[in-house]
Amino acid sequence: MQILEVMLQAGVNGMPQGRFDLGAPVGIALTFGDSAPDGHKPLLVAASRGLDRTDAQRTVAGKSGIIKHTIESGDPVPFTKVSNDADLSQFSSLRRAHNGVCYPLQSGLDVYGAVILASPSSQKPSEQHLRLMRAFINQAAIAFQNAQLYQNLRAERDRIIEAEASARAKLARDLHDGPTQSMAALAMRLDFIRLLMDRDQAQARQELEQAREAVMRVGKDLRGLLFTLRPLTLETQGLSAALKQYEQRLRENDGVPIEIQPGNFGSELDPNIAGTVFAVIEEAVNNARKHARNAAIHVNVQQQSGTLLAVVADEGPGFDTNAVNANYTSRGSLGMVNMRDRARLVDGQLNIESTPGHGTRVTLRVPLKNRPSGAAQTPRP
Ligand SMILES: Nc1ncnc2c1ncn2[C@@H]1O[C@H](COP(=O)(O)OP(=O)(O)OP(=O)(O)O)[C@@H](O)[C@H]1O
Ligand SMILES: [Mg+2]
């Protein structure tokens, strides 16, 4: 990031210059990298001034010493030598330092790393320079925070677009495997019936009856697909009615042992919340159908002190949530990510509990704020 470079240049310029043969002042901006398997985030060199090439590629743990102390206290920590510091002594350029300060790179409660300025001179940096640098580093931290927020927003948007694309691809696949093939088979059957009409009317009639049944089946498949696309009832009658209808369809069409207590949410519920809750329930039920075959599924939706609480529990084999989370990115599955993403869009919280042998329980909590109604916000002409 350019601001880190500019900040370090200003920082190094203001440090007392040492004796020529001892080298120039040094500036290092360290920022947190991705979590290691133990959950700890190492610090990487994000920008530097006066470091040699090997130093510029170092990674430090930040688990002890001056860096840890700086990050925990949130205040600049001055130092005179680094020989006893496990992290800082790794930088050969810092081993020559006689004077230095480690600043937290922090905005509000969010800590992004640390900034180190050091000089081989035994003369201390001026108070004015230290104050100036503190203000400069705080500005850099705000810029850093903005950049991260922007990046998170983009990542979130990309995930939603990806989720929609995969839903479309699934629909295309389902249409292809189901109704499209049935229609082709039906066309062939009708050709056959045309031939039979002259030869054997009784058999033709029988074939016609079977063709009629096939048409009914395709109709049912299509209605099912339409429902996953956009449950009309959700928009017209609200969440509880849509859930009731969903239960009926799963039980009657697909023989799923599901029981839904849909609560009492009509069309007054924010459509975004209704759509999200429905989609999360649908995803959790799909998982139960897929991974807990034929096990009973219980869905309960209710209001609990200003919160909508939705629970999908199955009596299936359960699974090891830690193991699934650990290799999630390499799995290529999207179900859980979709649920989490959707929950976040309405400030909801999603919790998945499962133990092998004891079924799975997905809980979604969405705060029901008293938002101003749409009509009040957009006055009608
Ligand atoms: N109700 C459940 N019972 C047992 N195992 C489950 C259940 N829900 C999820 N899992 C496990 O968690 C894994 C991740 O679920 P997820 O929904 O993300 O992926 P998927 O269902 O395998 O694929 P996709 O949803 O993308 O079609 C599943 O592969 C399965 O092993
Ligand atoms: Mg799934």
Side-chain angles (χ1 to χ4, degrees), residues 173-195:
R173 221 168 35 235
D174 288 351
L175 275 172
H176 175 265
D177 295 349
T180 314
Q181 300 212 357
S182 311
M183 293 306 274
L186 199 61
M188 277 161 54
R189 191 171 236 159
L190 289 175
D191 277 344
F192 178 56
I193 295 173
R194 192 172 50 200
L195 290 177

Side-chain angles (χ1 to χ4, degrees), residues 32-90:
F32 289 112
D34 294 334
S35 303
D38 66 356
H40 183 77
K41 287 186 177 171
L43 287 150
L44 318 174
V45 177
S48 65
R49 281 288 176 276
L51 281 196
D52 61 36
R53 200 189 294 206
T54 6
D55 270 357
Q57 281 165 6
R58 279 192 203 289
T59 301
V60 295
K63 282 182 177 172
S64 63
I66 296 170
I67 296 182
K68 178 169 186 250
H69 181 43
T70 306
I71 286 175
E72 281 180 359
S73 68
D75 284 319
V77 175
F79 58 87
T80 49
K81 59 180 173 74
V82 301
S83 49
N84 295 330
D85 192 287
D87 287 331
L88 297 188
S89 62
Q90 287 190 44

Side-chain angles (χ1 to χ4, degrees), residues 64-370:
S64 63
I66 296 170
I67 296 182
K68 178 169 186 250
H69 181 43
T70 306
I71 286 175
E72 281 180 359
S73 68
D75 284 319
V77 175
F79 58 87
T80 49
K81 59 180 173 74
V82 301
S83 49
N84 295 330
D85 192 287
D87 287 331
L88 297 188
S89 62
Q90 287 190 44
F91 294 93
S92 59
S93 333
L94 283 182
R95 279 186 233 133
R96 296 189 296 264
H98 275 97
N99 253 304
V101 191
C102 184
Y103 291 92
L105 187 61
Q106 178 176 18
S107 174
L109 291 176
D110 294 327
V111 185
Y112 299 102
V115 175
I116 296 147
L117 295 174
S119 164
S121 163
S122 47
Q123 191 192 337
K124 293 210 175 302
S126 73
E127 277 302 316
Q128 193 197 5
H129 181 58
L130 294 180
R131 268 203 309 278
L132 190 73
M133 281 319 293
R134 177 133 213 214
F136 210 153
I137 291 168
N138 285 344
Q139 284 305 315
I142 292 173
F144 207 84
Q145 187 176 38
N146 284 341
Q148 279 218 332
L149 289 175
Y150 182 66
Q151 215 172 32
N152 292 347
L153 217 63
R154 282 186 73 112
E156 181 123 344
R157 191 200 60 179
D158 289 351
R159 266 209 301 277
I160 292 168
I161 292 172
E162 202 178 309
E164 281 179 355
S166 90
R168 264 202 303 276
K170 181 174 184 303
L171 185 69
R173 221 168 35 235
D174 288 351
L175 275 172
H176 175 265
D177 295 349
T180 314
Q181 300 212 357
S182 311
M183 293 306 274
L186 199 61
M188 277 161 54
R189 191 171 236 159
L190 289 175
D191 277 344
F192 178 56
I193 295 173
R194 192 172 50 200
L195 290 177
L196 273 182
M197 297 271 278
D198 300 329
R199 290 212 317 256
D200 185 344
Q201 294 222 346
Q203 202 195 341
R205 205 169 292 126
Q206 210 179 351
E207 283 287 334
L208 262 181
E209 183 49 35
Q210 285 180 7
R212 199 186 74 89
E213 279 167 17
V215 171
M216 301 295 283
R217 271 201 304 277
V218 177
K220 204 156 101 179
D221 284 355
L222 280 173
R223 277 197 302 279
L225 286 175
L226 269 181
F227 191 84
T228 44
L229 201 61
R230 190 166 59 112
L232 199 60
T233 326
L234 193 57
E235 278 165 41
T236 52
Q237 298 169 49
L239 179 64
S240 299
L243 284 171
K244 215 59 215 158
Q245 202 181 50
Y246 178 56
E247 177 191 37
Q248 197 182 352
R249 182 169 67 85
L250 284 180
R251 290 177 79 99
E252 288 173 11
N253 289 9
D254 303 319
V256 180
I258 187 168
E259 170 239 334
I260 300 187
Q261 289 170 343
N264 194 9
F265 298 95
S267 44
E268 75 292 338
L269 181 66
D270 180 327
N272 278 338
I273 295 184
T276 303
V277 173
F278 190 88
V280 170
I281 290 178
E282 206 176 24
E283 189 78 52
V285 168
N286 280 344
N287 267 352
R289 289 181 64 189
K290 185 168 159 190
H291 305 290
R293 262 173 200 283
N294 301 326
I297 307 172
H298 309 277
V299 181
N300 187 313
V301 184
Q302 54 175 297
Q303 185 163 346
Q304 230 179 44
S305 55
T307 302
L308 183 153
L309 178 68
V311 178
V312 178
D314 67 57
E315 297 171 12
F319 67 107
D320 181 347
T321 47
N322 288 333
V324 166
N325 284 338
N327 63 0
Y328 203 86
T329 39
S330 59
R331 301 177 64 86
S333 52
L334 280 172
M336 306 263 201
V337 186
N338 281 351
M339 284 199 273
R340 289 229 147 77
D341 282 354
R342 286 182 203 271
R344 244 202 325 260
L345 288 177
V346 289
D347 301 325
Q349 265 180 11
L350 189 86
N351 192 20
I352 299 171
E353 297 159 273
S354 188
T355 335
H358 291 97
T360 302
R361 189 182 178 88
V362 177
T363 309
L364 171 69
R365 286 192 174 78
V366 183
L368 297 170
K369 296 169 219 137
N370 279 328

